[in-house]
Amino acid sequence: RIVRQHLRLRMEAETRAQLEKQQAEHEIMQLHNEKLQSEITHKTIELANSTMSIIRKNELLSEINTELDRQQKILGSNYPSRYFEKLRALINDNISGDHDWKIFEELFDQAHADFFKRLKLAYPDLTQSDLKLCAYLKLNLSSKEIAQLLNISFRGVETRRYRLRKRLSLISDANLVEFIMQF
């Protein structure tokens, strides 16, 4: 009877230890998941800030370009046109800079788990501009905001959306933004 009691106590102790070990592993896994979730949230916030910064920069450069046009009309031949063209080229180069896109792409991939790789694997015929449009749609940006980022007109964004829809072989009543968000 004493031996059975010791055996039962040992079994209970082992069961209790195993249960505690499982609970500890569960807590570690839960903490790990919370950490990953907070990293994703942080990356998403960083991505949103980066995107808004690019939008503001492009809006400012567009306003400077408009002001440059206005001043060129006012000054006429008093200010040589080659200087205006040099300034305009500098502004246009910075509006559609690839450096901004590289930073954005890196942050976007970190926040959205290799979105571009998965998209390229599923649809290999997508162009770089299609991938940019998909990223901006995934962020749920409006066509106006996308136009600012891509330095094209609102109508140009609508045309690109139509072409993207065709490349993705979506039916006409399927929502492109929902499709991209779920991808």
Side-chain angles (χ1 to χ4, degrees), residues 22-47:
Q22 286 176 347
Q23 286 177 338
E25 287 176 356
H26 179 71
E27 287 178 18
I28 290 171
M29 193 67 123
Q30 190 173 11
L31 289 173
H32 183 69
N33 286 343
E34 287 174 5
K35 180 184 173 198
L36 289 175
Q37 190 63 39
S38 70
E39 284 179 14
I40 288 173
T41 303
H42 175 72
K43 292 291 183 185
T44 303
I45 290 170
E46 193 176 324
L47 180 63

Side-chain angles (χ1 to χ4, degrees), residues 16-104:
R16 203 173 22 252
Q18 192 174 18
L19 187 62
E20 289 173 1
K21 182 180 175 185
Q22 286 176 347
Q23 286 177 338
E25 287 176 356
H26 179 71
E27 287 178 18
I28 290 171
M29 193 67 123
Q30 190 173 11
L31 289 173
H32 183 69
N33 286 343
E34 287 174 5
K35 180 184 173 198
L36 289 175
Q37 190 63 39
S38 70
E39 284 179 14
I40 288 173
T41 303
H42 175 72
K43 292 291 183 185
T44 303
I45 290 170
E46 193 176 324
L47 180 63
N49 289 339
S50 172
T51 303
M52 294 313 293
S53 173
I54 292 170
I55 289 173
R56 280 192 297 274
K57 179 196 78 149
N58 286 350
E59 285 175 350
L60 176 65
L61 289 174
S62 293
E63 287 177 25
I64 291 172
N65 213 4
T66 303
E67 180 63 24
L68 189 63
D69 287 340
R70 191 180 68 75
Q71 287 186 7
Q72 186 177 21
K73 288 177 184 173
I74 292 171
L75 294 175
S77 62
N78 292 342
Y79 194 74
S81 64
R82 68 174 188 226
Y83 295 124
F84 280 115
E85 296 307 317
K86 188 174 181 179
L87 286 172
R88 187 172 278 97
L90 185 63
I91 290 169
N92 288 335
D93 285 346
N94 281 297
I95 285 178
S96 59
D98 287 335
H99 177 71
D100 292 334
W101 174 249
K102 297 271 188 230
I103 293 170
F104 176 83

Side-chain angles (χ1 to χ4, degrees), residues 101 105 116 119-120 123-135 160 163-164 167-168:
W101 174 249
E105 187 176 21
F116 293 117
L119 198 59
K120 259 312 219 190
Y123 303 98
D125 60 331
L126 292 178
T127 64
Q128 189 68 18
S129 63
D130 291 337
L131 293 175
K132 286 181 182 182
L133 181 60
C134 287
R160 283 193 182 183
R163 289 180 185 150
L164 179 62
R167 286 196 178 107
L168 296 175

Side-chain angles (χ1 to χ4, degrees), residues 129-147:
S129 63
D130 291 337
L131 293 175
K132 286 181 182 182
L133 181 60
C134 287
Y136 297 144
L137 291 173
K138 179 101 173 148
L139 291 174
N140 206 15
L141 296 177
S142 69
S143 291
K144 181 182 175 190
E145 291 168 327
I146 294 171

